Amino acid sequence: MNIRHSRIEDLSRLMEIYVYARQFMAENGNPNQWGPTNWPPQALIEEDIAAGRSYVCEHEGRIVGTFCFVEGEDIEPTYREIYDGAWIADGNYGVIHRLAGDGSARGIGAACINWAFDQCGHLRVDTHGDNIVMQRLLTKLGFTHCGTIYVVEDPYPRLAYEKVR
């Protein structure tokens, strides 16, 4: 699989993938993470593309997944307070948000997460408590559950994970 920056001409495909992802999550016991708010909004994806933090995963020349990736020090305000645990390491880290695949190829999520980890060697990710699929994937990829964080988009707590090289 190939990872590259998203381009504005990819936008309609990315929004199709998010429609699929919301449906998949709802059908697999996670209807509240993105469903009620129709998350993520197109304006945010356009902003991600313009800022150079949106990426696509291609398989056999077709876009099959997408995610937002940023790295730096203290880049995620919602990660400043972690409850019922602690982060493993301080300093620069990368964050993945809005990871979604279209279900057409195996390993889309792992390919995206592994690519992001390869970029920085210190990655933090959060997911909804009902997102068992993502929790299993993060555990399989060697992430440690560190505690709970809260996001501004909705009232649901998020499980916080971290992996450090």
Side-chain angles (χ1 to χ4, degrees):
M1 290 194 201
N2 179 55
I3 308 291
R4 66 164 172 82
H5 276 101
S6 303
R7 298 184 291 259
I8 197 65
E9 57 266 24
D10 300 327
L11 183 61
S12 64
R13 178 68 182 134
L14 303 187
M15 299 316 294
E16 288 173 2
I17 291 171
Y18 286 120
V19 167
Y20 173 84
R22 282 190 293 274
Q23 180 179 350
F24 176 85
M25 286 194 287
E27 291 172 357
N28 286 276
N30 184 20
N32 295 314
Q33 186 170 351
W34 289 353
T37 59
N38 205 33
W39 190 261
Q42 182 170 318
L44 179 58
I45 304 307
E46 291 171 352
E47 182 182 311
D48 286 347
I49 293 170
R53 60 183 177 240
S54 177
Y55 294 84
V56 295
C57 178
E58 296 176 316
H59 179 67
E60 297 178 349
R62 184 168 192 267
I63 296 172
V64 296
T66 185
F67 62 99
C68 172
F69 171 72
V70 292
E71 65 177 303
E73 188 166 347
D74 197 27
I75 53 173
E76 178 52 62
T78 61
Y79 288 1
R80 290 181 187 144
E81 291 199 42
I82 186 167
Y83 302 89
D84 302 321
W87 293 114
I88 297 169
D90 294 325
N92 287 349
Y93 61 90
V95 175
I96 291 180
H97 289 302
R98 300 180 278 289
L99 173 61
D102 71 357
S104 68
R106 291 188 51 81
I108 295 168
C112 297
I113 293 169
N114 286 334
W115 178 90
F117 184 75
D118 288 345
Q119 305 310 300
C120 62
H122 182 188
L123 198 58
R124 292 178 179 174
V125 181
D126 68 87
T127 191
H128 196 283
D130 291 337
N131 195 340
I132 304 302
V133 173
M134 180 60 85
Q135 292 170 45
R136 286 182 182 149
L137 177 59
L138 292 170
T139 300
K140 177 182 171 186
L141 295 178
F143 282 76
T144 300
H145 175 241
C146 294
T148 303
I149 60 104
Y150 292 86
V151 298
V152 296
E153 292 82 16
D154 63 52
Y156 300 102
R158 297 295 198 274
L159 302 178
Y161 289 82
E162 186 171 29
K163 183 177 178 180
V164 181
R165 186 172 299 143

